[in-house]
Amino acid sequence: QHRPNSGGSVYAKWLFTVGMAVLVAVLLSTPVRATISYVSVDNGLVAPDHFTSFDGGGLGEDDLIGSALAGTGFTFTGGLRFRSCGPTWPNSAGGFTPSGYGTNLGPGCTRNTADDSFTVHLSEKADAASFAAHTDVLGGGGIRLEVLNNGASLETFDITEANDSWCCAPLFIRIDGLLFDEIRFTELLPVSESWITIDNLA
């Protein structure tokens, strides 16, 4: 029997296949930007693969935190100290009295030291991270949070007077959207009076 010409249906299938291949290629090549949320309600990770709070484990007051918490998936370089302002500071502005936290303030709770900045190194790639934060941004300065992968910057977020809640109100920061292995915290001005403390890193 004579079969009708099926060239049109073959072409349609070819066109569909090519179209789907192009769509997949576009989706795979489209960069997904990391998002950094900074809110006053807890948006921490519900079931983190790695988690640490600065509650001890051999850390002494005012100690620089380096590899002491490597077992939980995090190491630190730079000026992150354990409780450099004492175990209950500050206790006059809203009940910030954790048993432990990390802060970029200098030894003895001083500001503007050479170790104001620090970096969190992750033991493996992550696609999300969160932590509790308390900040005080003064003097026109601020703190830059930078997310990196293999040393390349993926996203930055500046904590400044414009978006900071005064002093000791609890805030929560969540990073989401890209694979990364490093989070840097840097004062925006060398003479900045800003500081940040972190806890419950996940």
Side-chain angles (χ1 to χ4, degrees), residues 35-56:
T35 59
I36 301 175
S37 59
Y38 182 66
V39 296
S40 58
V41 295
D42 190 348
N43 69 340
L45 299 178
V46 176
D49 293 320
H50 298 285
F51 174 84
T52 189
S53 59
F54 303 100
D55 288 330

Side-chain angles (χ1 to χ4, degrees), residues 93-160:
F96 176 35
T97 56
S99 57
Y101 56 90
T103 177
N104 71 321
L105 287 162
C109 202
T110 57
R111 300 180 186 224
N112 307 321
T113 70
D115 289 325
D116 279 290
S117 300
F118 63 93
T119 300
V120 182
H121 304 272
L122 284 65
S123 63
E124 56 190 83
K125 305 292 183 186
D127 57 13
S130 69
F131 54 91
H134 292 72
T135 60
D136 193 10
V137 178
L138 298 170
I143 295 170
R144 173 161 295 161
L145 187 160
E146 184 175 14
V147 183
L148 304 97
N149 187 44
N150 294 327
S153 179
L154 303 177
E155 185 69 279
T156 61
F157 180 80
D158 293 347
I159 303 172
T160 63

Side-chain angles (χ1 to χ4, degrees), residues 55-59 68-69:
D55 288 330
L59 292 171
L69 300 169

Side-chain angles (χ1 to χ4, degrees), residues 54-79:
F54 303 100
D55 288 330
L59 292 171
E61 194 169 306
D62 217 15
D63 280 354
L64 276 171
I65 304 171
S67 58
L69 300 169
T72 60
F74 306 101
T75 56
F76 304 85
T77 56

Side-chain angles (χ1 to χ4, degrees), residues 131-200:
F131 54 91
H134 292 72
T135 60
D136 193 10
V137 178
L138 298 170
I143 295 170
R144 173 161 295 161
L145 187 160
E146 184 175 14
V147 183
L148 304 97
N149 187 44
N150 294 327
S153 179
L154 303 177
E155 185 69 279
T156 61
F157 180 80
D158 293 347
I159 303 172
T160 63
E161 289 178 287
N163 61 25
D164 180 48
S165 177
W166 179 80
C167 186
C168 315
L171 294 167
F172 300 87
I173 296 179
R174 178 166 177 146
I175 304 163
D176 210 345
L178 281 179
L179 288 178
F180 55 93
D181 57 15
E182 186 177 335
I183 308 169
R184 292 181 187 171
F185 298 81
T186 308
E187 285 196 330
L188 296 179
L189 296 174
V191 294
S192 172
E193 296 182 1
S194 309
W195 51 256
I196 184 169
T197 69
I198 66 173
D199 198 6
N200 298 335

